[in-house]
Amino acid sequence: MTDLLLEMHDVQIEGRSDETWMPIIKGVDLILKKGEVLGLIGESGAGKSTLGLAAMGFTRDGVRISGGTVTFDGIDLRTASAETKRQLLGKRIAYVAQSAAASFNPAHKLIDQHTEAPVQHGTASKAESMADGIELYRRLRLPDPDEIGFRYPHQVSGGQLQRAMTAMAMATRPDLIIFDEPTTALDVTTQIEVLAAIRDIVEQFGTAAIYITHDLAVVAQMADRIKVLLKGEEVEEAETREMLSAPKEDYTKSLWAVRAFQRPAKPAPATDAIPVVSVQTVTAAYGKIPVLHDVSFDIHAGRTVAVVGESGSGKSTTARVITGLLPQSAGVVELDGEPLPADYRKRSKDQLRQIQMIYQMADTALNPRQTIAEIVGRPVEFYTGLKGHAKRNRVAELMEQIELPASEYADRLPSELSGGQKQRIGIARALAAEPKFIICDEVTSALDQLVAEGILRLLARLQDDLNLSYMFITHDLATVRSIADEVVVMKDGRVVEQGRKAEMFRPPHHPYTDLLLSSVPEMDPDWLTNLLAERGVHNIGDAAAASIK
Amino acid sequence: MHPVLKIILQRLALGLLTLFIVSIVIFTAVNMLPGDFAQAILGQSATPEAVAAIRRDLGLDQPYVVRYFGWLTDMLQGNLGISYAQLNFQSNMGGQNLKTVADQIAPRFANTMFLAGVAAVIAVPFAVTLGVLAALYRNSAFDKAVNVGTLTSISSPEFFLAYILVLFLAVLNPLLPSIANIYQGISLADRLTATLLPALTLTLVVTAHMMRMTRAAIINLLASPYIEMARLKGVSPFRIIVKHALPNAWAPIINVIALNLAYLITGVVVVEVVFNYPGIGQLFVDAVKNRDIPVVQACCLIFAAAYILLNLAADILSMLANPRLRHPK
């Protein structure tokens, strides 16, 4: 077989935790032919990135390949010297990282980082590589390709950086590129541009690729074959179409089914009902920079309002105004028909109690030095004044509600919990205040799909039990579909459209809503191709811009 | 206005404010020293009338606030005053060749700056290079040797280091003079030869701090995604350190360099004494002994200004090292 590029056989990888080596990858085989794209999917912790890096013969600190073989084009990467590997990396094998913003060196211009690998490996002169870089920027549809390379990373947007990084990986025309979640950090509308750009350029140069992601719909667009990983082991592997239409293993089927969770929308509230929270013509600014313009919407008892939009659209700022962290410059926020003081310091304890928040990063929102009982107990004591035995009982009751029994979890530290469990603690802490209204700020976007679904189901059940109202900030329309009663679409600090969920997902839409909706990848391998054809343009960036204006 | 320029002006204003506050602290502290010039010069058997007379002559009987503002006004006009010791000398000798504090301090300060300059030119590149190499070969025998060596030198008393250097470079191998004989009209070459031993002593004192910060700042960055990216691009280890880590590590390094440069100007008394180097440190100690308040205050103010200026320079350079500030969006 002459077209075999990469062969990994029975690869075992271990990571050091304290003094012992724990297995991360437990004997995985992987074969990649020249010009082929393999999708690698699984939840976080499945070992996707570790395996992807191992395909380059590379391990992070504290990780080692303990068994099996990794052969790239006849070279055994496990026994090859550091120097031999260094000659391959960046020349014949390249890497595109998840966060381009963090993976570009902040101290150097993009083009200088682009030309580094070709110049260092001697495949091109600086001038040749620069000219080629500009050409690649053009092909990847970066705006202003002649100039953009001469900017520093912080002067370029996330989606553009991700494309510049793909261009950088292409600089030496490698045989293999590892894409490690290259679109995970991007908004849906930006994601499309990057996906299309990556797919085009991989096809044009016949580059083989391993495409790592946790998003099935994305991998469906990109890969010829898909391999599913679970806890360091292969679940199954098949051609993309076959995998999508007929997954064999239960685990794969469960992944496919996650997107099916959908609760029916509740009936519209009575027209004369007083909303729990009412945001009325709110305008707000950070210093002199205006961020919100005339934002109005209501949230009724027992209902969920999803606020959607791209990053920078003003979703989280709206939450900051409602909580009083950022006093508005005009407009009013009402709680049960009573206007709230703009500044949280002027609100009564009861008003503060009624509005609680759950955060995106449970990791950073929980004090790592406090036990779960302390974290949940603090708001119980602060808001309800319970102490001693009564407080302990209340904490146990709250832990029961989030399905983490106090007997087992109360004395643990946050670091001893999984991501989903930490998020549940965040929910319990919010519930401890016995609020009417909870703001959920991207609470599931850092979680795997199965875990996220568990959180959504829990929130739905709590809403039914306690008649809670939610404001659900998210950029993920699948989440909106599954949990929202009403939807508010925001862009550039304004509400562009709002209404009942059913209406929002049925045309006709506001053009921006349409763009958002149509940009969500679907589990159809032809979706991206069809969408691009439908939008009928080669330059997607322009199209997006045009359709918004 | 460019944001960096704006920040620089802000810092400059803050520096001036700091200097003003420091001037109050200096004046108050110096006035709280037990005894005063009149008592120190007349000795224990002085009559109260004689002490009072001298105090009246020097204006020491004026209220504190009046004296402070008088001093401040003089300072702002660049008038550092006249040394009490000189006044005393004048009253004995009949008022010939009266030297102001500025005349006294200027040559000493120039000597100190020269010594600090020579020491800095040797120490800073040496320390940063050692730090880069220690980071490159981290946890190797070389790294450990460098760490042990620099820690030993910073932990040893300065006079001890000075005598060791004298022993090896002046006594056993008579390469350099053990006494820094600086005179008026000395040639640059002679001046450098005379300054080299004190400068080497100071180098040994300040290297450890700068070297360890360089090493730590670089190693701290090695876990960054962009360093991993550079490794995955097949960039050589040396280039990763110098080209990818060091440019992002400058801010903390520059701050430590500034602190050490300030030490070279203000903390060199011991080394000056050992080598009999005619710098500002010795002048300062003598003035404190004699309660020669105008000299003490002027020296303190110069030291404070040196600290403030060097820290200001460090702030500005760290900002310039940050591309986000240098090239705003």
Side-chain angles (χ1 to χ4, degrees):
Chain A
M1 270 216 311
T2 52
D3 61 346
L4 184 67
L5 184 66
L6 175 74
E7 185 179 15
M8 300 173 83
H9 179 63
D10 193 27
V11 168
Q12 291 160 36
I13 303 177
E14 297 176 332
R16 195 168 51 204
S17 98
D18 297 328
E19 288 306 302
T20 55
W21 290 92
M22 304 291 286
I24 300 175
I25 297 289
K26 304 160 189 164
V28 171
D29 293 341
L30 187 154
I31 283 179
L32 194 65
K33 289 183 231 150
K34 285 181 180 154
E36 189 184 35
V37 179
L38 173 74
L40 208 53
I41 75 164
E43 298 171 44
S44 57
K48 309 181 297 281
S49 292
T50 310
L51 188 64
L53 289 170
M56 310 175 74
F58 181 89
T59 52
R60 293 196 167 126
D61 288 341
V63 177
R64 67 177 184 193
I65 303 177
S66 54
T69 56
V70 181
T71 314
F72 173 80
D73 206 18
I75 305 163
D76 182 350
L77 292 183
R78 277 198 69 199
T79 55
S81 70
E83 190 54 30
T84 312
K85 280 196 281 187
R86 202 169 69 68
Q87 290 303 329
L88 284 178
L89 291 181
K91 187 178 180 185
R92 299 195 57 201
I93 314 178
Y95 180 74
V96 174
Q98 171 169 0
S99 166
S103 295
F104 269 114
N105 192 323
H108 301 298
K109 290 174 188 162
L110 295 181
I111 196 81
D112 291 335
Q113 304 192 48
H114 182 96
T115 56
E116 184 173 30
V119 172
Q120 291 296 308
H121 290 294
T123 60
S125 72
K126 173 110 181 170
E128 286 165 3
S129 170
M130 237 178 206
D132 182 57
I134 290 168
E135 177 55 31
L136 284 170
Y137 291 155
R138 198 182 313 278
R139 286 211 208 183
L140 285 161
R141 303 183 195 105
L142 278 162
D144 208 357
D146 294 319
E147 298 300 324
I148 196 166
F150 296 91
R151 294 191 205 154
Y152 285 85
H154 70 273
Q155 296 171 312
V156 179
S157 78
Q160 293 168 1
L161 276 181
Q162 208 70 48
R163 277 179 279 170
M165 177 159 283
T166 304
M168 185 162 86
M170 283 289 174
T172 54
R173 302 292 185 276
D175 302 308
L176 169 64
I177 301 183
I178 314 290
F179 290 96
D180 193 352
E181 306 246 17
T183 62
T184 305
L186 305 177
D187 287 316
V188 278
T189 46
T190 322
Q191 172 170 275
I192 296 230
E193 299 168 28
V194 177
L195 288 180
I198 290 177
R199 202 176 63 171
D200 281 1
I201 205 143
V202 166
E203 271 170 18
Q204 281 173 19
F205 294 121
T207 316
I210 296 180
Y211 196 99
I212 299 168
T213 177
H214 67 275
D215 190 332
L216 294 160
V218 165
V219 84
Q221 314 309 317
M222 309 301 287
D224 302 320
R225 268 185 304 139
I226 296 177
K227 184 194 279 293
V228 183
L229 282 186
L230 173 66
K231 293 177 182 156
E233 283 173 288
E234 179 180 321
V235 176
E236 62 179 309
E237 181 183 324
E239 298 291 321
T240 299
R241 277 170 204 283
E242 190 187 326
M243 181 72 100
L244 290 176
S245 53
K248 291 191 192 72
E249 300 294 322
D250 286 344
Y251 174 72
T252 317
K253 286 178 192 158
S254 76
L255 278 181
W256 269 227
V258 168
R259 290 176 173 251
F261 171 62
Q262 195 172 341
R263 68 186 304 208
K266 298 204 173 83
T271 45
D272 58 345
I274 296 171
V276 172
V277 169
S278 173
V279 179
Q280 296 169 5
T281 60
V282 160
T283 298
Y286 286 119
K288 285 186 188 132
I289 306 159
V291 231
L292 293 182
H293 311 272
D294 252 357
V295 172
S296 300
F297 57 89
D298 293 342
I299 302 168
H300 286 270
R303 299 299 198 284
T304 301
V305 171
V307 180
V308 297
E310 296 174 48
S311 47
S313 61
K315 309 182 299 265
S316 293
T317 307
T318 308
R320 287 172 62 84
V321 169
I322 295 174
T323 53
L325 290 169
L326 177 74
Q328 66 270 28
S329 52
V332 69
V333 179
E334 286 182 357
L335 178 70
D336 287 333
E338 298 286 323
L340 281 171
D343 190 328
Y344 75 96
R345 280 167 291 207
K346 299 199 179 100
R347 294 184 184 177
S348 71
K349 202 167 183 176
D350 194 56
Q351 287 172 330
L352 291 174
R353 184 178 67 77
Q354 299 290 6
I355 301 177
Q356 293 293 313
M357 267 196 92
I358 310 172
Y359 301 88
Q360 175 174 9
M361 306 299 288
D363 261 332
T364 51
L366 301 181
N367 187 332
R369 302 242 171 215
Q370 289 184 345
T371 63
I372 302 309
E374 286 170 320
I375 291 172
V376 180
R378 167 72 190 150
V380 168
E381 188 175 326
F382 181 77
Y383 286 115
T384 63
L386 295 177
K387 284 199 165 74
H389 196 63
K391 176 172 145 189
R392 263 202 305 286
N393 285 346
R394 175 68 183 137
V395 170
E397 194 181 303
L398 287 165
M399 302 274 297
E400 202 59 48
Q401 287 182 334
I402 55 158
E403 297 154 16
L404 295 177
S407 53
E408 195 180 337
Y409 291 97
D411 295 326
R412 294 202 193 177
L413 292 170
S415 57
E416 295 170 288
L417 300 181
S418 72
Q421 289 172 333
K422 278 183 238 182
Q423 198 53 282
R424 281 167 191 256
I425 299 302
I427 296 172
R429 181 171 61 180
L431 291 179
E434 299 171 23
K436 275 187 176 162
F437 173 62
I438 299 181
I439 298 173
C440 305
D441 191 353
E442 302 271 10
V443 288
T444 55
S445 53
L447 302 172
D448 291 314
Q449 296 184 30
L450 282 174
V451 180
E453 190 206 340
I455 296 285
L456 293 182
R457 284 184 192 276
L458 171 67
L459 286 169
R461 185 175 60 71
L462 290 170
Q463 182 166 57
D464 294 340
D465 292 352
L466 305 169
N467 200 31
L468 293 168
S469 306
Y470 295 139
M471 171 174 153
F472 221 94
I473 298 173
T474 182
H475 66 271
D476 178 21
L477 290 160
T479 308
V480 176
R481 224 174 234 136
S482 58
I483 195 161
D485 299 307
E486 277 147 64
V487 184
V488 173
V489 183
M490 290 189 71
K491 175 169 168 47
D492 298 336
R494 290 173 206 278
V495 174
V496 293
E497 194 174 10
Q498 59 178 310
R500 311 273 307 150
K501 174 169 70 174
E503 297 160 15
M504 297 297 290
F505 282 101
R506 197 187 312 130
H509 310 291
H510 180 278
Y512 178 69
T513 314
D514 195 45
L515 179 74
L516 270 187
L517 287 175
S518 66
S519 298
V520 179
E522 287 166 22
M523 299 269 280
D524 165 8
D526 299 323
W527 168 79
L528 183 60
T529 315
N530 294 341
L531 180 78
L532 295 178
E534 202 174 296
R535 291 189 180 172
V537 270
H538 293 294
N539 194 330
I540 298 167
D542 289 352
S547 64
I548 293 163
K549 282 164 194 157
Chain B
M1 200 192 319
H2 196 278
V4 172
L5 194 64
K6 196 172 155 195
I7 299 176
I8 290 175
L9 289 177
Q10 275 174 355
R11 295 289 160 93
L12 203 59
L14 270 179
L16 284 176
L17 180 68
T18 316
L19 201 58
F20 173 69
I21 295 168
V22 166
S23 78
I24 298 177
V25 173
I26 291 172
F27 193 81
T28 312
V30 168
N31 274 278
M32 282 162 65
L33 282 176
D36 63 12
F37 178 75
Q39 280 172 334
I41 206 75
L42 294 175
Q44 290 191 330
S45 56
T47 61
E49 291 77 23
V51 172
I54 291 189
R55 283 191 183 154
R56 200 169 45 246
D57 282 353
L58 297 178
L60 290 177
D61 55 346
Q62 300 282 319
Y64 167 80
V65 178
V66 174
R67 279 187 289 139
Y68 172 71
F69 280 104
W71 174 65
L72 190 67
T73 321
D74 282 352
M75 283 287 156
L76 288 177
Q77 292 165 352
N79 175 10
L80 301 187
I82 292 168
S83 150
Y84 292 171
Q86 289 278 336
L87 279 175
N88 184 46
F89 191 69
Q90 173 212 18
S91 61
N92 291 338
M93 303 299 287
Q96 294 300 308
N97 299 326
L98 191 68
K99 277 169 103 183
T100 62
V101 171
D103 292 335
Q104 258 182 305
I105 288 181
R108 297 297 197 99
F109 184 64
N111 286 345
T112 294
M113 288 305 284
F114 186 78
L115 172 58
V118 174
V121 165
I122 301 172
V124 174
F126 179 64
V128 172
T129 310
L130 269 190
V132 165
L133 291 175
L136 181 59
Y137 302 110
R138 57 196 170 280
N139 304 327
S140 69
F142 170 79
D143 180 24
K144 281 170 190 149
V146 168
N147 267 302
V148 168
T150 51
L151 276 182
T152 310
S153 75
I154 204 178
S155 315
S156 311
E158 284 170 44
F159 68 87
F160 178 71
L161 290 173
Y163 287 134
I164 297 270
L165 284 181
V166 167
L167 179 66
F168 284 103
L169 295 177
V171 179
L172 295 177
N173 311 294
L175 301 169
L176 295 167
S178 62
I179 294 292
N181 185 14
I182 306 249
Y183 46 89
Q184 259 194 333
I186 188 171
S187 75
L188 183 65
D190 287 349
R191 192 183 253 262
L192 273 176
T193 321
T195 311
L196 209 50
L197 263 189
L200 283 178
T201 312
L202 288 172
T203 300
L204 286 180
V205 175
V206 296
T207 297
H209 205 179
M210 293 190 281
M211 169 264 155
R212 287 169 66 81
M213 182 49 92
T214 307
R215 179 184 181 275
I218 289 175
I219 289 181
N220 192 25
L221 291 177
L222 292 184
S224 320
Y226 57 81
I227 298 293
E228 180 175 283
M229 193 66 199
R231 292 170 72 188
L232 291 171
K233 275 159 77 180
V235 177
S236 70
F238 181 74
R239 194 179 156 86
I240 286 179
I241 300 275
V242 173
K243 200 80 182 161
H244 288 272
L246 192 57
N248 294 294
W250 276 124
I253 299 174
I254 287 172
N255 277 294
V256 167
I257 289 177
L259 279 180
N260 281 285
L261 292 185
Y263 177 80
L264 288 180
I265 296 174
T266 63
V268 293
V269 171
V270 175
V271 171
E272 284 182 10
V273 170
V274 170
F275 292 100
N276 200 19
Y277 186 91
I280 204 171
Q282 283 205 50
L283 178 72
F284 179 59
V285 172
D286 288 345
V288 170
K289 238 185 317 191
N290 296 330
R291 302 287 182 271
D292 195 345
I293 288 170
V295 177
V296 174
Q297 285 169 341
C299 287
C300 284
L301 213 53
I302 287 173
F303 291 163
Y307 258 99
I308 290 168
L309 271 179
L310 281 165
N311 276 300
L312 183 71
D315 280 355
I316 292 169
L317 286 174
S318 328
M319 266 186 287
L320 293 181
N322 182 347
R324 282 167 200 276
L325 286 170
R326 209 169 54 225
H327 306 278
K329 282 198 177 186

